[in-house]
Amino acid sequence: MAKVIMVQGTMSNAGKSLLAGGLCRVFRQDGFRVAPFKSQNMALNSFVTKEGLEMGRAQVMQAECADIEPSVYMNPILLKPTNDIGSQVIVNGEVLRDMPAREYFRYKTRLIPDIRKAFQKLAAENDIIVIEGAGSPAEINLKENDIVNMGLANMVDAPVILVGDIDRGGVFAQLYGTVMLLPPQEQQRIKGMVINKFRGDVTLLDSGIQMLEEKTGIPVIGTVPYCPLNIDDEDSLSTRFEGTAPSLVNIGVIRLPRISNFTDISPFEMVPGVGIRYITRPEELAGLDMVILPGTKNTIGDLRWLWETELAETVQRMAARVPVFGICGGYQMLGRMVSDPDSVEEGGSLKGLGLLPGETVLKRQKNRRQVRGRLSLRTGILGMPEDTEYRGYEIHMGETRNEGGEALTCRADGEVNGLQQGNVYGTYVHGIFDTGNVAEQICRTLAAKKGVVLPENSGESFRQRREKEYDRLADLVRESLDMERIYGMLREAAWRDE
């Protein structure tokens, strides 16, 4: 019978995803078959499995930590916000429909059989399941019929580790308040508390920890120091949006209101001497060496925002002298027109930036597939002599018709899924920069044009460097948490299929 343990947080971005990933890595290193699980995930960063099913990126990261293939069973429910009051509801990797928040709140208990089925599948194949909660278990306005925090912990009889974020202040109030807002039977599920993202002398916490333990009766099982790691984040609270200081090469990412799959930018963050800035105003584009338009959950709405903020005109002018690269929704925006005849998003049509000779028509059918093929950077500043084999995935609602552009990416079946013209490049392929050392090659090309030299790198691929980051995360967990206590929690907890 699979052992279970659950990581919950006092708030979003407390560090649940990374700590769950770190535990997956530790357990895998210790010889166990381990899998992550999150019953319901709200995020715009998603992934497509080899079966063509959609799941949250955080559980993909955790699966990579566990050294196993990502599976939709690890995240049976994915909510992708489409506006401020509703989301696209994805169940078992496929779109159910768009729902306003209140409708989903009433509907969600119907999904308990899907949650149970997914969990049973993982439990049958693994020794340990590391479960991640969502937000906070003390969101008392949402606790009724909870399926992702204590409701799930009760369902699978999981001991809980509660994580608080000291970097955002008030960690003792976070932890104490969360515990006190829970009914006694749920308080008893919390077997340990963790203080996350601490900077400074850890002994300064001693008196606070002692009082917290006395008041709650729950031990603090570790203090995790603040440690920058280049590992994919889950949601829009990501600190990476703060950007980096000016560097030898500077890349600007347009921070669209409904930005999605910003994890596509991660490979650039691992190149020494390269800075990333997230852009919301035209004046912030000054001095950049490349501009990226990332994915979005609302292409027409975010394209309208580009025109309203005058970012669209600024990017149009910049394309004469710097590369502009669009991915998925960003690729659609770079064309001449985006049309929505079936009201998939907002309906109507809107002119694109006109930097690529393509027109997009949004359709209700979502394209989801892993893809491999050929990347050909032939034109403009980024022109490279050799084609590169790539692997990635597509998630998009719509088709882009090529009206005379040169292929940037082709699938293995020969179908063009990306265009280039001059300094402008666009593709439907997420993960395109994960390929080999493509990101580093691009950055060195930009550096050479600028007359600067980037520091030498190790020669490792992005994926090799990412594996090292996972090992660093595991080391951090081992050094910071009382693993003996955690293994004790596991020994006392075994999920039983009812």
Coordinates of all heavy atoms in Angstrom, one line a residue, residues 240-279:
R240 N 10.1 35.6 -10.5 CA 10.9 35.8 -11.7 C 10.3 37.0 -12.5 O 11.0 37.7 -13.3 CB 10.9 34.6 -12.7 CG 9.6 34.2 -13.1 CD 9.7 33.2 -14.3 NE 10.8 32.3 -14.3 CZ 10.8 31.0 -14.1 NH1 9.7 30.4 -13.7 NH2 11.9 30.3 -14.2
F241 N 9.0 37.4 -12.2 CA 8.5 38.6 -12.9 C 9.1 39.9 -12.4 O 8.9 40.9 -13.0 CB 7.0 38.6 -12.7 CG 6.2 37.6 -13.5 CD1 4.9 37.3 -13.1 CD2 6.7 37.1 -14.6 CE1 4.2 36.4 -13.9 CE2 6.0 36.1 -15.4 CZ 4.7 35.8 -15.0
E242 N 9.9 39.8 -11.3 CA 10.6 41.0 -10.9 C 11.8 41.3 -11.8 O 12.3 42.4 -11.8 CB 11.1 40.8 -9.5 CG 10.0 40.6 -8.5 CD 10.5 40.1 -7.1 OE1 11.7 40.0 -6.9 OE2 9.7 39.8 -6.2
G243 N 12.2 40.3 -12.6 CA 13.2 40.5 -13.6 C 14.6 40.5 -13.0 O 14.8 40.3 -11.8
T244 N 15.6 40.8 -13.8 CA 17.0 40.8 -13.3 C 17.7 42.1 -13.6 O 17.1 42.9 -14.4 CB 17.8 39.6 -14.0 OG1 17.7 39.8 -15.4 CG2 17.3 38.3 -13.6
A245 N 18.8 42.4 -13.0 CA 19.5 43.6 -13.3 C 20.1 43.6 -14.7 O 20.3 42.5 -15.3 CB 20.7 43.7 -12.3
P246 N 20.3 44.8 -15.3 CA 20.9 44.9 -16.7 C 22.2 44.0 -16.8 O 23.0 44.0 -15.9 CB 21.2 46.3 -16.8 CG 20.2 47.0 -15.9 CD 20.1 46.1 -14.7
S247 N 22.3 43.3 -17.9 CA 23.4 42.3 -18.1 C 24.0 42.6 -19.4 O 23.7 43.5 -20.1 CB 22.8 40.9 -18.0 OG 22.2 40.7 -16.7
L248 N 24.9 41.7 -19.8 CA 25.6 41.8 -21.1 C 24.6 41.7 -22.2 O 24.7 42.5 -23.2 CB 26.7 40.7 -21.2 CG 27.9 40.8 -20.2 CD1 28.8 39.6 -20.3 CD2 28.7 42.1 -20.5
V249 N 23.7 40.8 -22.1 CA 22.6 40.6 -23.1 C 21.3 40.7 -22.3 O 21.1 40.0 -21.3 CB 22.7 39.2 -23.8 CG1 21.5 39.0 -24.6 CG2 23.9 39.2 -24.7
N250 N 20.4 41.5 -22.8 CA 19.1 41.7 -22.1 C 17.9 41.3 -23.0 O 17.8 41.8 -24.1 CB 19.0 43.2 -21.7 CG 20.1 43.6 -20.7 OD1 20.0 43.2 -19.6 ND2 21.1 44.3 -21.2
I251 N 17.1 40.4 -22.5 CA 15.9 39.9 -23.2 C 14.7 40.4 -22.5 O 14.5 40.3 -21.3 CB 16.0 38.4 -23.3 CG1 17.2 38.0 -24.1 CG2 14.7 37.9 -23.9 CD1 17.4 36.5 -24.1
G252 N 13.7 41.0 -23.2 CA 12.5 41.4 -22.7 C 11.4 40.5 -23.0 O 11.2 40.0 -24.1
V253 N 10.6 40.2 -22.0 CA 9.4 39.3 -22.2 C 8.2 40.1 -21.9 O 8.0 40.7 -20.8 CB 9.4 38.1 -21.2 CG1 8.2 37.2 -21.4 CG2 10.7 37.3 -21.3
I254 N 7.3 40.2 -22.9 CA 6.0 41.0 -22.7 C 5.2 40.3 -21.7 O 4.8 39.1 -21.9 CB 5.3 41.2 -24.0 CG1 6.2 41.8 -25.1 CG2 4.0 42.1 -23.8 CD1 6.7 43.2 -24.8
R255 N 4.9 41.0 -20.5 CA 4.1 40.4 -19.5 C 2.6 40.6 -19.8 O 2.0 41.5 -19.3 CB 4.5 40.9 -18.1 CG 3.7 40.2 -17.0 CD 4.1 40.7 -15.6 NE 3.3 40.0 -14.6 CZ 3.4 40.2 -13.3 NH1 4.3 41.1 -12.8 NH2 2.6 39.6 -12.5
L256 N 2.1 39.7 -20.6 CA 0.7 39.8 -21.0 C -0.2 39.6 -19.8 O 0.1 38.9 -18.9 CB 0.4 38.8 -22.1 CG 1.2 38.8 -23.4 CD1 1.1 37.6 -24.2 CD2 0.8 40.0 -24.2
P257 N -1.4 40.2 -19.8 CA -2.3 40.1 -18.7 C -2.7 38.6 -18.4 O -2.9 38.2 -17.2 CB -3.5 40.9 -19.1 CG -3.0 41.9 -20.0 CD -1.9 41.3 -20.7
R258 N -2.8 37.8 -19.5 CA -3.1 36.4 -19.3 C -1.9 35.5 -19.7 O -2.1 34.5 -20.4 CB -4.4 36.0 -20.1 CG -5.6 36.7 -19.6 CD -6.0 36.2 -18.2 NE -7.1 37.0 -17.7 CZ -7.5 37.0 -16.4 NH1 -6.9 36.2 -15.6 NH2 -8.4 37.8 -15.9
I259 N -0.8 35.9 -19.4 CA 0.5 35.2 -19.8 C 0.4 33.8 -19.3 O -0.1 33.4 -18.2 CB 1.7 35.9 -19.1 CG1 3.0 35.3 -19.7 CG2 1.6 35.9 -17.6 CD1 4.2 36.0 -19.2
S260 N 0.8 32.9 -20.2 CA 0.8 31.4 -19.9 C 2.1 30.8 -20.4 O 2.8 31.3 -21.3 CB -0.4 30.7 -20.5 OG -0.3 30.7 -22.0
N261 N 2.5 29.7 -19.7 CA 3.7 29.0 -20.1 C 4.9 29.9 -20.2 O 5.7 29.8 -21.1 CB 3.5 28.2 -21.4 CG 2.7 26.9 -21.2 OD1 1.5 27.0 -20.9 ND2 3.3 25.8 -21.2
F262 N 5.0 30.8 -19.2 CA 6.2 31.6 -19.1 C 7.5 30.7 -18.8 O 8.6 31.2 -18.8 CB 6.1 32.7 -18.2 CG 5.6 32.4 -16.8 CD1 6.5 31.9 -15.8 CD2 4.3 32.6 -16.4 CE1 6.1 31.6 -14.5 CE2 3.9 32.3 -15.1 CZ 4.8 31.8 -14.2
T263 N 7.2 29.4 -18.5 CA 8.3 28.5 -18.2 C 9.2 28.3 -19.5 O 10.3 27.8 -19.5 CB 7.8 27.1 -17.8 OG1 6.7 26.7 -18.6 CG2 7.3 27.2 -16.4
D264 N 8.6 28.7 -20.7 CA 9.4 28.7 -21.9 C 10.6 29.5 -21.9 O 11.6 29.3 -22.6 CB 8.5 29.1 -23.1 CG 7.4 28.1 -23.5 OD1 7.7 26.9 -23.3 OD2 6.4 28.6 -24.0
I265 N 10.6 30.5 -21.0 CA 11.8 31.4 -20.9 C 12.9 30.9 -20.0 O 14.0 31.4 -20.0 CB 11.3 32.8 -20.3 CG1 10.0 33.2 -20.9 CG2 12.3 33.9 -20.5 CD1 10.0 33.3 -22.5
S266 N 12.6 29.8 -19.2 CA 13.6 29.3 -18.2 C 15.0 29.1 -18.8 O 16.0 29.4 -18.1 CB 13.0 28.1 -17.6 OG 11.9 28.3 -16.9
P267 N 15.1 28.5 -20.0 CA 16.5 28.2 -20.5 C 17.4 29.5 -20.6 O 18.6 29.4 -20.4 CB 16.3 27.6 -21.9 CG 14.9 27.0 -21.8 CD 14.1 27.9 -20.9
F268 N 16.8 30.6 -20.9 CA 17.6 31.8 -21.0 C 18.1 32.3 -19.6 O 19.2 32.9 -19.5 CB 16.8 33.0 -21.6 CG 16.5 32.8 -23.0 CD1 15.2 32.4 -23.5 CD2 17.4 32.9 -24.0 CE1 14.9 32.3 -24.8 CE2 17.2 32.7 -25.4 CZ 15.9 32.4 -25.8
E269 N 17.4 32.0 -18.6 CA 17.8 32.3 -17.2 C 19.0 31.6 -16.7 O 19.6 32.0 -15.8 CB 16.6 32.1 -16.3 CG 15.4 33.0 -16.6 CD 14.2 32.6 -15.7 OE1 14.2 31.6 -15.0 OE2 13.1 33.3 -15.9
M270 N 19.3 30.5 -17.4 CA 20.5 29.7 -17.0 C 21.7 30.0 -17.8 O 22.8 29.4 -17.6 CB 20.2 28.2 -17.2 CG 19.3 27.6 -16.2 SD 19.3 25.8 -16.2 CE 18.4 25.4 -14.8
V271 N 21.6 31.0 -18.7 CA 22.8 31.4 -19.5 C 23.5 32.6 -18.8 O 22.9 33.7 -18.6 CB 22.4 31.9 -20.9 CG1 23.6 32.3 -21.7 CG2 21.6 30.8 -21.6
P272 N 24.8 32.4 -18.3 CA 25.5 33.4 -17.6 C 25.6 34.7 -18.5 O 25.8 34.6 -19.7 CB 26.9 32.8 -17.4 CG 26.7 31.3 -17.5 CD 25.6 31.1 -18.5
G273 N 25.4 35.9 -17.8 CA 25.5 37.1 -18.5 C 24.3 37.6 -19.2 O 24.3 38.6 -19.9
V274 N 23.2 36.9 -19.0 CA 21.9 37.2 -19.7 C 20.9 37.7 -18.6 O 20.7 37.0 -17.6 CB 21.4 36.0 -20.5 CG1 20.0 36.3 -21.1 CG2 22.3 35.7 -21.6
G275 N 20.3 38.8 -18.9 CA 19.2 39.3 -18.0 C 17.9 39.3 -18.6 O 17.7 39.4 -19.8
I276 N 16.9 39.0 -17.8 CA 15.5 38.9 -18.3 C 14.7 40.0 -17.7 O 14.7 40.2 -16.4 CB 14.8 37.5 -17.9 CG1 15.7 36.4 -18.4 CG2 13.4 37.4 -18.5 CD1 15.8 36.3 -19.9
R277 N 13.9 40.7 -18.5 CA 13.0 41.7 -17.9 C 11.6 41.4 -18.4 O 11.4 41.1 -19.6 CB 13.4 43.1 -18.4 CG 14.8 43.6 -18.1 CD 15.0 45.0 -18.6 NE 16.4 45.3 -18.9 CZ 16.9 46.3 -19.6 NH1 16.0 47.2 -20.0 NH2 18.1 46.5 -19.8
Y278 N 10.6 41.6 -17.5 CA 9.2 41.4 -17.9 C 8.6 42.8 -18.1 O 8.7 43.7 -17.2 CB 8.5 40.6 -16.8 CG 8.8 39.2 -16.9 CD1 9.9 38.6 -16.3 CD2 8.0 38.3 -17.7 CE1 10.3 37.3 -16.5 CE2 8.3 37.0 -17.8 CZ 9.4 36.5 -17.2 OH 9.8 35.1 -17.4
I279 N 8.0 43.0 -19.3 CA 7.7 44.4 -19.8 C 6.2 44.6 -19.8 O 5.4 43.8 -20.2 CB 8.2 44.5 -21.2 CG1 9.7 44.2 -21.3 CG2 7.9 45.9 -21.8 CD1 10.6 45.0 -20.5

